[in-house]
Amino acid sequence: HSDRVARLSVCLARHLGCTQEELNTIYLSGLLHDIGKIGIDDNILRKPGPLTPEELEHIKKHPELGCRILHGVKHLDKVLPVVRHHHEMWNGQGYPDGLKGDQILLEAKILAVSDTIEAMITHRPYRTALTIDVALEEIYKNKGKLYDKEVVDACFRLFMSRGFSFMHEK
């Protein structure tokens, strides 16, 4: 999961014109974004059904746990805020800090879209994998609500350049 998120994030970042240094940060952030799940109960991570509110709150701790795990590791200072904020949402309803809009680093906004797409198109214990068309449609519906408009637009440029075009099939 983390490798695919890292690779997709770099592709999106390239479409957004990020520098090589930013691409390096994004790639490392993608690889490490879920490291905090080491501290999450495996029974919750592998649960086949819906999570209780308490279980959901437990999972929401993984970005902060990830930052604690990585804190003090040389050369990861630029990765820490991306790991911490990859679940922040454009409208401020994300976690852990409730950041919104331009308060969120571009790298974290990119990771949020990549992580969401990859999670949707991969089989999970609680549901089967969705098609890429369904995942892209979901991202598009939440453009400017949960996800940064520029990042969503870059996502569509990327996938449409690779032959995905659900918008033209309706």
Side-chain angles (χ1 to χ4, degrees):
H1 167 74
S2 293
D3 181 59
R4 290 186 299 268
V5 169
R7 290 170 185 262
L8 178 54
S9 294
V10 168
C11 289
L12 285 176
R14 279 195 183 112
H15 273 265
L16 287 162
C18 290
T19 66
Q20 187 59 50
E21 184 179 345
E22 291 166 328
L23 294 175
N24 294 341
T25 298
I26 288 166
Y27 183 72
L28 266 176
S29 300
L31 290 177
L32 297 170
H33 77 283
D34 278 344
I35 196 167
K37 286 187 177 177
I38 290 171
I40 303 300
D41 184 338
D42 242 14
N43 293 323
I44 295 173
L45 292 176
R46 299 183 192 286
K47 186 174 179 181
L51 300 176
T52 66
E54 295 80 19
E55 291 168 333
L56 187 58
E57 286 307 309
H58 183 59
I59 281 185
K60 285 182 176 183
K61 293 178 181 178
H62 83 271
E64 293 172 281
L65 290 171
C67 281
R68 278 193 244 147
I69 291 166
L70 298 173
H71 182 75
V73 177
K74 275 188 172 184
H75 309 295
L76 291 183
D77 51 328
K78 291 184 179 181
V79 168
L80 292 177
V82 184
V83 168
R84 181 176 179 87
H85 296 132
H86 74 278
H87 281 291
E88 299 290 355
M89 295 293 146
W90 183 258
N91 62 9
Q93 294 181 353
Y95 59 91
D97 299 318
L99 301 180
K100 65 180 179 176
D102 292 330
Q103 294 175 320
I104 308 165
L105 288 174
L106 175 61
E107 294 91 338
K109 293 185 231 182
I110 291 169
L111 216 65
V113 169
S114 298
D115 189 32
T116 301
I117 289 173
E118 205 291 320
M120 286 193 280
I121 65 172
T122 304
H123 178 74
R124 300 294 174 145
Y126 50 88
R127 64 150 175 78
T128 59
L130 303 174
T131 66
I132 188 65
D133 282 344
V134 171
L136 290 172
E137 191 168 7
E138 188 66 26
I139 293 292
Y140 189 79
K141 281 191 315 194
N142 288 293
K143 174 182 171 178
K145 297 173 192 163
L146 302 181
Y147 310 108
D148 180 272
K149 292 176 185 179
E150 280 186 68
V151 176
V152 172
D153 288 343
C155 182
F156 274 81
R157 286 193 306 274
L158 172 66
F159 280 98
M160 291 201 183
S161 72
R162 302 227 183 327
F164 295 95
S165 57
F166 80 87
M167 294 177 69
H168 301 292
E169 295 172 6
K170 292 189 178 189

